[in-house]
Amino acid sequence: MKAIITAAGLGTRFAPVSKIIPKEMLPIGSKPALELIVEEARLAGVDGITIVISHQKEMIRDYFTSSSDIDFVYQEEQLGLGHAVLQARTDDDVLVLLGDALVHGCSAASEMVKISKENNFASVIGLERVPLEKTSRYGIVKCDDHDTNSSVVTIRDMIEKPSPELAPSNLAVAGRYLLKREIFELLANQAPGKNGEIQLTDAIARAARDAKFGEVKGFVYDGKRCDIGNPDGYYQALTIFRG
Ligand code: UTP
């Protein structure tokens, strides 16, 4: 299994500072946030890590240049998260970690790998519970009713940023994905979705709806996810990680 960390996004929510510092390199204590994510991937036991960057984010490559288990691919145009993952296409199953999503209080990736091995799950999507009024900020999963209070659910569908009236649950996709290699085929012919972007959520939703890909499971991991892609989330991360 390989890890893919996406870090090629424009970072508009963190402008103007993101013009000069990639948001993924903002400090959490004495380390850039991305280093914490690399540590999480290594702890989960991956065979190698590919970081997806853009030419404006060479700082990331410079920082990690001496790490022998890390390589880099470029996303030439920012066409969405699904497109970023596709740039790192491989023949292996993959653990995808968003470069601007930190998890405090557990190693989400390790928990997901463990649960998939123990139960022979094909794909596991990391989830968090969110307040119903905030569903329009997240990818929300649809699962069987009897599953909604459990920490492991079978995902039937996924909807990108639904309003609370249209949200099928309060379970949100939370920055970590364990995916079978078949995801790359789906991404390669994925039509643009919300905001005209190639959405990873849309490709996973197709896998969830099609029995031939095996069941897509969701797992509510134990830790707290911080989205450092915007100033409020970043300040929250600084407070939480300081302890
Ligand atoms: P986000 O949607 O949070 O990042 O993607 P963004 O596009 O940089 O955000 P804004 O809206 O401009 O502020 C989650 C992760 O996926 C990466 C981002 O770098 C981030 O780490 N990403 C997103 C890509 O690598 N490529 C893309 O085209 C989009």
Side-chain angles (χ1 to χ4, degrees), residues 6-13 23-24 57 75 78-81 84 98-100:
T6 55
L10 295 173
T12 40
R13 288 168 300 150
K23 59 182 170 178
E24 295 84 359
K57 290 180 156 184
Q75 185 187 24
Q78 277 50 58
L79 299 179
L81 174 60
L98 302 194
D100 63 357

Side-chain angles (χ1 to χ4, degrees), residues 3-61:
I4 299 174
I5 303 178
T6 55
L10 295 173
T12 40
R13 288 168 300 150
F14 230 125
V17 78
S18 52
K19 284 188 183 167
I20 184 77
I21 304 171
K23 59 182 170 178
E24 295 84 359
M25 296 303 278
L26 290 170
I28 302 290
S30 63
K31 289 181 186 174
L34 197 51
E35 184 158 352
L36 301 179
I37 298 176
V38 165
E39 286 171 3
E40 182 184 337
R42 285 190 181 126
L43 198 65
V46 296
D47 301 314
I49 299 171
T50 300
I51 305 182
V52 186
I53 58 171
S54 68
H55 294 290
Q56 288 72 43
K57 290 180 156 184
E58 287 291 342
M59 182 195 279
I60 296 177
R61 188 176 197 145

Side-chain angles (χ1 to χ4, degrees), residues 4 12 20 29 31 49 57 68 84 111 127 190 199 212 220 229-230 234 237:
I4 299 174
T12 40
I20 184 77
K31 289 181 186 174
I49 299 171
K57 290 180 156 184
S68 56
E111 286 187 3
L127 300 177
Q190 183 60 51
Q199 300 283 357
K212 89 168 184 248
V220 184
N230 63 81
Y234 175 59

